[in-house]
Amino acid sequence: MPCLMTPKDKFYRAYMDFFETAERKRRWNLFDDVPWDKLSPRANTEERAIRIETYCAEEMYLPDYNAAGIKMVRGVFGLSWFQTAWSYEESRHGLVFREYLLRSGLRTQQQFDRFETDVFSRSWKLPFTTQRRMSCYGALQESATYLAYRAQKDRAEIEKDRTLEAIFFLVSRDEAAHAGFYRAMIEIEMAEDRIGTLADLAHVIANFKMPGDGLIPNYHENLRIGGGGISPRLFFTRAVLPLLKQLGTSRDELKGATAAALPLRVAL
């Protein structure tokens, strides 16, 4: 008889698919793939500085994201290795935003030192306490980040900022790949427990917020000033609804799964 794949086997296979695509098609180099020579300090504005600085702050909580994530998935090879690869890719995002702020002259080293001290004075905490809910959160959060970065790539193209256009192209492509991996994790979970997984997804949607929300001072105001956020409507229509469609489910099924799962959890 053929040997059936366990969820751990599927997680590993999904990670290998992710890793192969990253290695063959998506890896980029901060020094060679970003046209730093195209920087134009004459185009600097404080609004732009606030926008990039806010993105940079959210990426700089990487030590907290990674420590919590690796602790949660340590015993599952595919997930823990994805967490490690994800951390490396996200580290480039923080670095490239930092370099843009400094090389463009939007921020001095002294200003950035104060900014860094402020960022690291606070810690990020897991918004959800189970692996499955964090996969749901990851799919939505990475999709939202992709949408924000992609909009910034288009904006930079209109503004003829070739450096920022290249940066947002590269980082948004990474975010899309991360969202795809988390979506694959949800699909694996659904194959094992559809009702429970969809109930968890409904819970995450109802309680979703971005990592910087409530952590970075003046987070929403900074995004408003810099024009760097996405609206709740855009999040719902471009992140939530496409995810439901890709998973082969609907808002009605989410509601039904939540109602069906509640008595089971109370009984436990």
Side-chain angles (χ1 to χ4, degrees):
M1 294 181 61
C3 181
L4 297 177
M5 291 181 68
T6 67
K8 283 189 176 183
D9 294 333
K10 294 177 182 178
F11 291 148
Y12 174 67
R13 187 67 262 161
Y15 171 66
M16 286 300 292
D17 290 342
F18 169 89
F19 182 64
E20 181 178 8
T21 300
E23 291 288 287
R24 294 185 184 278
K25 300 179 181 180
R26 193 168 48 77
R27 291 283 183 244
W28 56 273
N29 187 297
L30 183 147
F31 305 101
D32 297 333
D33 296 323
V34 176
W36 297 112
D37 60 324
K38 302 295 184 182
L39 278 171
S40 178
R42 290 174 298 177
N44 285 353
T45 65
E46 182 60 15
E47 289 77 12
R48 178 179 294 184
I50 290 172
R51 177 174 18 125
I52 304 304
E53 193 174 62
T54 303
Y55 289 146
C56 189
E58 205 154 27
E59 298 285 1
M60 283 173 64
Y61 284 100
L62 179 63
D64 295 337
Y65 304 150
N66 197 46
I70 205 70
K71 182 178 180 180
M72 175 173 280
V73 300
R74 181 179 178 276
V76 183
F77 187 91
L79 297 183
S80 58
W81 256 244
F82 169 76
Q83 181 68 38
T84 303
W86 175 90
S87 181
Y88 163 66
E89 294 187 357
E90 292 289 343
S91 74
R92 292 183 304 185
H93 300 180
L95 278 173
V96 78
F97 290 143
R98 178 189 184 114
E99 287 296 305
Y100 182 85
L101 287 166
L102 294 174
R103 295 191 191 201
S104 67
L106 284 167
R107 291 290 184 261
T108 66
Q109 184 63 59
Q110 186 178 33
Q111 287 174 317
F112 199 90
D113 288 344
R114 291 197 298 268
F115 167 71
E116 185 179 83
T117 298
D118 179 67
V119 167
F120 290 142
S121 69
R122 294 175 296 275
S123 300
W124 178 85
K125 307 297 182 185
L126 279 171
F128 304 98
T129 58
T130 69
Q131 172 190 311
R132 191 163 70 187
R133 285 185 176 181
M134 283 306 297
S135 290
C136 296
Y137 178 76
L140 291 167
Q141 186 268 320
E142 299 284 359
S143 292
T145 306
Y146 164 77
L147 291 171
Y149 287 175
R150 191 70 186 185
Q152 295 307 313
K153 182 264 181 190
D154 294 341
R155 178 175 178 173
E157 184 176 5
I158 293 171
E159 295 175 349
K160 301 188 184 306
D161 185 331
R162 301 308 179 205
T163 308
L164 207 53
E165 180 185 354
I167 288 172
F168 278 115
F169 168 75
L170 295 168
V171 299
S172 65
R173 189 174 60 173
D174 286 348
E175 302 292 356
H178 300 166
F181 179 84
Y182 284 120
R183 184 170 62 248
M185 297 305 96
I186 301 173
E187 291 171 340
I188 293 169
E189 296 281 9
M190 285 175 64
E192 297 295 313
D193 176 10
R194 187 177 182 89
I195 290 176
T197 302
L198 292 179
D200 278 348
L201 178 58
H203 176 79
V204 171
I205 292 172
N207 295 279
F208 180 86
K209 65 179 184 177
M210 292 296 285
D213 189 355
L215 182 63
I216 299 171
N218 305 313
Y219 179 72
H220 292 290
E221 179 65 8
N222 286 347
L223 288 177
R224 185 192 67 78
I225 293 171
I230 62 171
S231 69
R233 179 176 178 81
L234 184 64
F235 172 70
F236 184 72
T237 58
R238 298 283 301 278
V240 175
L241 291 183
L243 176 62
L244 299 185
K245 183 177 181 180
Q246 289 158 349
L247 294 174
T249 187
S250 65
R251 297 164 69 182
D252 288 340
E253 188 179 12
L254 288 189
K255 293 177 183 177
T258 299
L262 185 58
L264 295 175
R265 289 173 178 168
V266 171
L268 291 174

